[in-house]
Amino acid sequence: MTGTGFVVLPDTAAADEARAVTPWAAPRVLSHASGRPWLVGRWSPGELRVATAGPVQVAVVGVCPVTATRLSELTARIRTVSDIDALAAALPGSCHVVASVGGEVRVQGSITGLRRVFHTRINGVDVAADRADVLAAMTGAGIDAGALALRVACGGLVPSPPADQPLWSGITALAPDHCLVWDRERARALRWWRPPAPEQPLSAGADAVREALTSALHDRAPAEGRLSTDLSGGMDSTSLCFLAARNTPELLTFRWGEAEAGNDDAAFASRSIGALDRAEHLVVPPAELPSLFAAPDTLMDTEEPYPFVRTAARTRHTARLLADRGARRHLAGHGGDELFTPFPGYLHPLLRRRPMTALRHVRGYAALKRWPVLHTLASLMRPGDEAAWWQAQADHLTDPPLRKRRPSLGWGLWPLRAPSWATATATDAAREALRQTAAQAQPLSPDLGQHQSLVALRTSAPWYRLLARPFAEAGVQLDAPFFDDRVVEAVLGVRVHEHAGPWRYKPLLADAMRGIVPENVLGRSTKGEFSEEASTGLRSNLPAILDLFTDSALAAHGLIDPGTLRTQLLSPQADNAMGIALEPLIGCELWLRAATRPAPAWRFDDVRTSSP
């Protein structure tokens, strides 16, 4: 785990006590104009920049490809913390924005949740941080048993907002569309961002997305070292690769070799390699990669359960390979699926506005994905509301899994079902958490299609936030431009039904990248297949996985039945469902063990950090 992170303190004398309990022996400290501590922590070189205009200071932390001159210009316009709205809306990239304005303080993350903010109260003062485990270290927080039970009982696939709840008691997550503003020692959450109306037609939307992505990749290279990028052969990573090569033609591309004959990633990647003649291309053969599910007992993160357990060993291996070749920033296509493949909830508003168009989409899906037409139409006629959807998840949590080929037409992303090894203790606590969500539910957008897209982004962005940390340990900054605020806004502004449907694969991205990415890549309609490799990795590492749960911390807390789990693991597997369910379970097990050690795992000065 990296020791990087930061704490935000208000401009008051009482904040000094909170400063004293930050979990770093020798942190960096930035001060308010008053001289009191403002930002305390450790951060990597180039990760934080500050602009000052009189009593106003603005810090941006993360990926923000803006010049120092431009940041200073924006800072000079600020008179009160409310003026940060305009500054944040003008910044490219994905970053935290922290401001100190004549004694007033404000902090916010990114609109997707890739950059998160957490807060709690310490010695009578509200403090915030970019990591929940930093605040847990400062407060001595225990485990939030209900939040952990929810993860276990829902198989780790809990969507936002309940997934946003930290697993530490007394720590609160700030909603991505909110900022935190202090009035002396007290802070309050205020909403500052709302999604744009999805009104642009596909053609205009493609132009907007093209401009947003072009601007985002214009100055993405690190200040030192090389820029590397995934080149899997898929449309997402290939688009970023060609955009980056416009300004950094000598970039390093990377791809895991394919172990399955049915995976056509290599064929599409080779078509791009020929057009990137100044780049260095690194392809690692499967035999040189750790197997999937290798070293399943390796702790990856102390803040919350790591979601990508099966590829954890490969991720660390990849990060070291890139670092050895001089890469200091690595571009990845994460977020492309969530942005450019709308969930089918868009059919609800479409049915009301354009019923014949909606019917044509349903018939297309019925032919392509074998949706049952009558069931789909009946579901579309009664969409319900978000509260009812969450209540239904609580009521049906222990029901058998739904039949396949049923579209997700509700206010969530998928139906929540408890795995067989979850105990009644876990499912009862999870039901209570889901019902609390139902009581507080507020749609992220009045348009159900846009709402689902935002839920997908807010659910997955925190996962990739954790994925970035193994790269950071190796000295490489993992960068996912599809999660950039301005890119997300450009996509959300497009009529959802015009870039959805069964006929074209990611038409919005394809149209935006026409003339930049080779046409034969933009026409791809397949996706890389890794299920057989995952099954092979699970079988070969099964003894280590069984051993991991022999003395299970989750079982000791009454959340899983290890006997049922063992039976399921040793039974023949008809598909990859067991591997999918196992990843978040292993993540929860390892996290719980670390969180309950006599010597807490979040002693940040005991771990390696990339900060100088």
Side-chain angles (χ1 to χ4, degrees):
M1 293 67 64
T2 65
T4 57
F6 63 86
V7 174
V8 183
L9 300 173
D11 192 2
T12 67
D16 282 332
E17 293 184 30
R19 154 70 180 89
V21 295
T22 55
W24 302 279
R28 295 183 179 184
V29 179
L30 297 181
S31 300
H32 294 283
S34 65
R36 298 186 181 107
W38 171 40
L39 289 175
V40 181
R42 287 186 176 176
W43 40 85
S44 302
E47 188 180 12
L48 183 148
R49 285 185 290 169
V50 178
T52 302
V56 177
Q57 295 182 96
V58 172
V60 292
V61 192
V63 178
C64 183
V66 64
T67 65
T69 299
R70 175 60 174 161
L71 184 59
S72 295
E73 290 174 351
L74 293 170
T75 302
R77 301 173 187 174
I78 295 171
R79 299 295 178 267
T80 71
V81 290
S82 297
D83 297 331
I84 300 296
D85 286 5
L87 179 143
L91 289 177
S94 177
C95 60
H96 289 92
V97 178
V98 193
S100 175
V101 185
E104 295 182 287
V105 179
R106 170 170 160 168
V107 61
Q108 62 198 63
S110 62
I111 61 177
T112 63
L114 188 66
R115 311 284 172 176
R116 301 188 70 188
V117 175
F118 304 91
H119 56 101
T120 192
R121 193 160 180 83
I122 300 175
N123 297 327
V125 178
D126 286 341
V127 300
D130 67 328
R131 296 178 60 138
D133 51 353
V134 167
L135 297 180
M138 294 173 67
T139 61
I143 295 166
D144 186 327
L148 179 60
L150 181 66
R151 306 263 186 129
V152 173
C154 296
L157 297 176
V158 191
S160 178
D164 301 337
Q165 176 59 37
L167 298 181
W168 304 99
S169 297
I171 312 298
T172 302
L174 183 70
D177 52 11
H178 281 59
C179 61
L180 200 64
V181 178
W182 275 261
D183 181 8
R184 305 297 296 169
E185 282 84 19
R186 286 284 184 181
R188 64 190 189 280
L190 301 174
R191 186 168 185 176
W192 80 274
W193 181 86
R194 296 182 186 276
E199 296 175 345
Q200 286 205 73
L202 179 62
S203 58
D207 290 341
V209 170
R210 180 189 183 104
E211 181 179 350
L213 283 171
T214 300
S215 298
L217 274 296
H218 177 70
D219 188 21
R220 214 73 176 199
E224 297 179 359
R226 302 181 68 181
L227 178 68
S228 60
T229 177
D230 286 339
L231 183 56
S232 68
M235 196 187 302
D236 302 334
S237 65
T238 304
S239 296
L240 298 180
C241 194
F242 276 86
L243 285 166
R246 287 177 148 190
N247 297 287
T248 312
E250 297 84 6
L251 56 78
L252 170 67
T253 76
F254 178 85
R255 181 168 60 85
W256 289 341
E258 297 74 25
E260 300 183 32
N263 190 330
D264 57 354
D265 279 351
F268 282 93
S270 64
R271 299 171 186 175
S272 299
I273 286 174
L276 297 166
D277 54 348
R278 293 175 62 182
E280 177 186 354
H281 304 286
L282 175 61
V283 181
V284 184
E288 297 178 14
L289 290 167
S291 65
L292 297 182
F293 287 104
D297 59 347
T298 302
L299 177 68
M300 294 294 287
D301 207 276
T302 58
E303 185 178 13
E304 59 180 288
Y306 187 74
F308 304 111
V309 168
R310 67 175 173 175
T311 57
R314 285 192 178 185
T315 296
R316 281 184 160 160
H317 184 72
T318 297
R320 289 193 293 267
L321 286 176
L322 294 172
D324 289 344
R325 284 162 176 77
R328 292 298 173 264
R329 178 173 292 166
H330 182 71
L331 301 178
H334 308 312
D337 287 341
E338 294 86 342
L339 272 181
F340 299 108
T341 311
F343 277 74
Y346 78 89
L347 291 166
H348 281 300
L350 185 62
L351 183 64
R352 294 194 306 272
R353 299 167 189 162
R354 302 183 182 183
M356 296 308 297
T357 301
L359 181 59
R360 188 167 64 91
H361 280 231
V362 169
R363 293 178 64 183
Y365 282 121
L368 180 67
K369 297 186 176 184
R370 299 184 183 178
W371 284 8
V373 175
L374 293 180
H375 168 83
T376 300
L377 291 174
S379 298
L380 289 174
M381 295 301 293
R382 50 177 190 275
D385 57 25
E386 190 181 9
W389 188 88
W390 285 107
Q391 183 63 49
Q393 305 317 301
D395 294 343
H396 300 288
L397 183 61
T398 54
D399 287 2
L402 291 177
R403 297 165 66 180
K404 293 184 177 180
R405 301 191 177 94
R406 295 293 173 90
S408 299
L409 297 170
W411 287 84
L413 302 179
W414 44 70
L416 302 181
R417 294 292 184 269
S420 60
W421 52 77
T423 65
T425 298
T427 55
D428 288 348
R431 279 197 177 97
E432 178 60 28
L434 293 171
R435 287 170 180 147
Q436 289 177 5
T437 300
Q440 302 167 2
Q442 294 290 334
L444 301 179
S445 168
D447 183 289
L448 179 51
Q450 191 182 68
H451 167 86
Q452 282 191 327
S453 295
L454 281 165
V455 172
L457 288 166
R458 292 188 181 185
T459 300
S460 63
W463 298 347
Y464 295 116
R465 170 177 170 268
L466 299 182
L467 180 65
R469 292 181 183 162
F471 283 87
E473 286 183 352
V476 180
Q477 185 179 37
L478 183 66
D479 186 0
F482 286 127
F483 284 114
D484 281 12
D485 288 358
R486 306 290 81 79
V487 174
V488 170
E489 287 174 335
V491 175
L492 292 177
V494 183
R495 295 170 186 165
V496 185
H497 74 274
E498 291 198 16
H499 70 105
W503 301 283
R504 293 179 61 195
Y505 182 66
K506 299 184 179 178
L508 179 57
L509 180 60
D511 289 357
M513 292 295 99
R514 187 144 285 119
I516 298 175
V517 174
E519 196 66 28
N520 51 21
V521 176
L522 296 179
R524 184 180 184 183
S525 60
T526 60
K527 194 170 181 65
E529 170 61 36
F530 298 92
S531 59
E532 179 57 36
E533 191 176 3
S535 298
T536 301
L538 178 58
R539 288 194 299 269
S540 63
N541 292 290
L542 187 56
I545 294 171
L546 291 170
D547 185 62
L548 176 66
F549 288 100
T550 299
D551 185 21
S552 167
L554 291 172
H557 280 69
L559 298 177
I560 68 168
D561 180 338
T564 301
L565 174 62
R566 183 179 182 85
T567 299
Q568 289 290 319
L569 286 171
L570 293 174
S571 299
Q573 306 299 324
D575 52 30
N576 200 31
M578 173 59 73
I580 294 172
L582 194 57
E583 279 193 271
L585 181 68
I586 294 175
C588 287
E589 175 70 28
L590 295 177
W591 177 86
L592 182 58
R593 292 184 180 196
T596 52
R597 287 175 186 168
W602 31 247
R603 288 283 297 278
F604 283 6
D605 287 309
D606 293 338
V607 297
R608 185 159 55 92
T609 174
S610 57
S611 298

